[in-house]
Amino acid sequence: MAEIPMVFILAGLAAYTVLAGADFGAGLWTLFAGRGEAGHSAIRHHARHAMGPVWEANHVWLIFVLVVCWTAYPVAFGSITSTLAVPLFVAAVGIILRGFAYALRGQIEGAVGERAIEYLFAVSSMLTPFALGTVAGGIASGRVPVGNAAGDLVTSWLNPTSILIGGLAVAAGGYLAAVYLAADARRVGSWALERDFRTRALVAGCCAGAFALAGLIVVRFDAPSLFAGLTSGGGNVMVAISGAAGVATLMLVWRERFGLARASAALAVAAIVAGWALAQSPLLLPGLTVEQAAAGRSTLLAVIVAVAGGAIVLLPSLVLLFRLFLRGMLDHGAAADVGVPSPPALPHKTRRRLLEGFAAAMLVIGGGLAVLADPGLVLGLGVVCLLACAVATFALVAVESDSET
Amino acid sequence: MTIAALGGAVAPVDPGYLFQARQMQALSLAVHIPLVCFGIAFPAMVLFCEWRHLRTGDPLFRTLARRWSKVMLGLFAIGVVTGTILSFELGLLWPEFMARYGNVFGLGFTLEGFSFFIEAIFIAIYVYGWDRLRPRLHFLAGIPVALAGVMGSLFVISVNGWMNHPTGFTTQDGRAVDARPWSALFGNGYFWHEFVHMYVAGFVVAGFLLAVPYAWGFLRGRRDRYRRTALTVALSAAAVAAPLQVFIGDWAAREVAHHQPVKLAALEGLARTTRGAPEHLLGWYDGRDVVYGVEIPRLLSLLAFHDPDATVAGLDTVPVEDQPPVNVVRLAFQSMVGIGMLLALLSVVYLYVRLRHRRLPGSPWFYRAVVVAGPLSVVALICGWVTTEVGRQPWIVYGIMRTSQAVTGASGIPIGYGTLIAVYLGLAGGVGWLLHRFSRLPIEVDRDG
């Protein structure tokens, strides 16, 4: 049972890497838009708008990973966050700046300061995945000992493995984004943009591949035990799957099969996450296995129940969102297709009277109970009555449009 | 950056760092909490407008709902990032707290993560789906946004309730074992008053803040039907909530008096245990008594226990090192109550005019008061959280773990704190500028894109 929450964490991490990675990558392409066939501004515009509706949902995956980690593996979480405080803080600042730039961006087209906001968005889109990649590198290379800030605050994340994984995170994001943006360009029917992002996907895909290969070589010397895990058993299988999926994506992009490329690109990135996990299992931190790091049985059970229950609500909602998004139902500037609303219904005088009476009665009963009763169920009932009074009063004062013209 | 590695798990912590870490956490919370108010109350207001549109066919309500929903999305996006920062900081600043008690309270955040997810998914469908989804379906897509906003705050506050009234675990070697997370969080009666208090505050803050630009417009003579309607909806939401808060506040104070007598003593500046304790308005606590305040005999006993002769525990019931900083807590508490009373008064005026004369108040003084009430409601909100959080000190888990035991051993907090202040100042400037710009956009009733 101790491993089940870790599976949730890894699934969340893979989802975050794929979905938010593509988001970060879109930010990267607003900076390195280049000229292309469609032109500089068209490319930037496309990169900027395509991700809009799914942005928030993609980033909640990170929160999911954090909360499951601190509930199920509290000691490991405390050790990681205290030793790797610097890159985590950098990532946090990057997330603030990026969210801030995102919220502003939509509102400022053509205004002064637009360029500055764009740069802020693009730079923070690279800084955040890089910093989070160095965190992953610090954990993977065994530089986070158990304890409150027990590791080195600098070399735990400024080391060859961390830097390469940080670079890989940025490149993989750019790659994913270019593949997705090419697919989106086809959906909106822009031939030039499709070709431009096809080129960019091929370039970024080769870069990400180069980072991955270089990473393997660096890990060979910098983190021998991780390397051993990656080149044997399940780790080896995952590395092979990732490599194969990466090459397959390049071929699919080359042949302009973007729909399939979307899936195989995601697989390539998710397989790296799985490979890392298998490579260092059963260890979570040096000298601390997943089993040892896990919280007690009832906590683990609570997490599993909560995640399973949450998933029942979450997964259909996510499917709905992505279906609407991929079908272009949430695209910007869509044609209005609004049904004719029903005719006005006039409020009746008697209804108003009833509502007034109800509000007054609830105020008297609720106020009386809330003041006279001791904390407990009776007082709770009083509070419910007061809330009902508030709703009724709201209906009275807000519904009727005022008579002054 | 001067960063040096500190020793193992029992590294001694610099008390200066503790203070800065607390300030940093407080700053991040103060930025996030007003956004939570919008998460609680804004979807309900937007949905109300859309429902009016569906009901009456009046395009004005659709325009209003649509414009507000864009602001809602922007505020939600900022809420997502400031909320992410908070979850980072829990680990970055308080790793020992997470390591030792995460198994008890973490579940609240796991559940909150899911409601955050639902909110993010449906807010996107709602805001980007205005023209594409059929009207009724679109309205339905907004309902999960409203529910998730409320559920999310419920889950987070259940954790805060646990920190103030910890149950559902056994302590062994300074860490929680045998954790029973469900009963610790939700079988814990203490969090209900905190939640209801915050829920109602959400409507007060979001309503008054939203009313500010329209009230300002009224004073400048912009009183078209769109603005009147917007003002009516926003003010009505705030005005039915603010008087309610007086009752909820009374409930909260009695819960604190019962479960956290030292916190109550701190927020009243009551040095010694007293029978028939008086209440002091204003003034300053000098370490022994409240000086320069207005004393009202027996009022504290009456308010805290609804009995003028009740005995109220004083600060002297615990050693000095277990007492919270009295003046900070007391000033925050009195500010919250004072502002809350003024807001309730303003609300009663509004409700009276609206119910009796079925119109908006005519006096410019009313609108000037509303312009001031918006920012003041945020001040009251922050003061309320300062009251309960600083009032909990020196404990992070009340009576069990000290905040000083929870703080990180990593150095460099001053750098982080400074950076965060700079970033948030920039953020505040940007948001202010954005809202200013947004309010200047022309209103197109027929085709608002």
Side-chain angles (χ1 to χ4, degrees), chain B residues 45-66:
Chain B
M45 288 193 253
V46 171
L47 281 175
F48 171 77
C49 292
E50 191 180 13
W51 175 71
R52 291 304 295 157
H53 166 69
L54 292 177
R55 200 61 209 279
T56 64
D58 188 341
L60 183 120
F61 279 103
R62 184 179 146 88
T63 309
L64 187 58
R66 205 173 160 141

Side-chain angles (χ1 to χ4, degrees), chain A residues 261-283:
Chain A
R262 249 186 219 276
S264 66
L267 178 67
V269 173
I272 296 181
V273 175
W276 165 33
L278 288 172
Q280 73 169 68
S281 98
L283 285 182

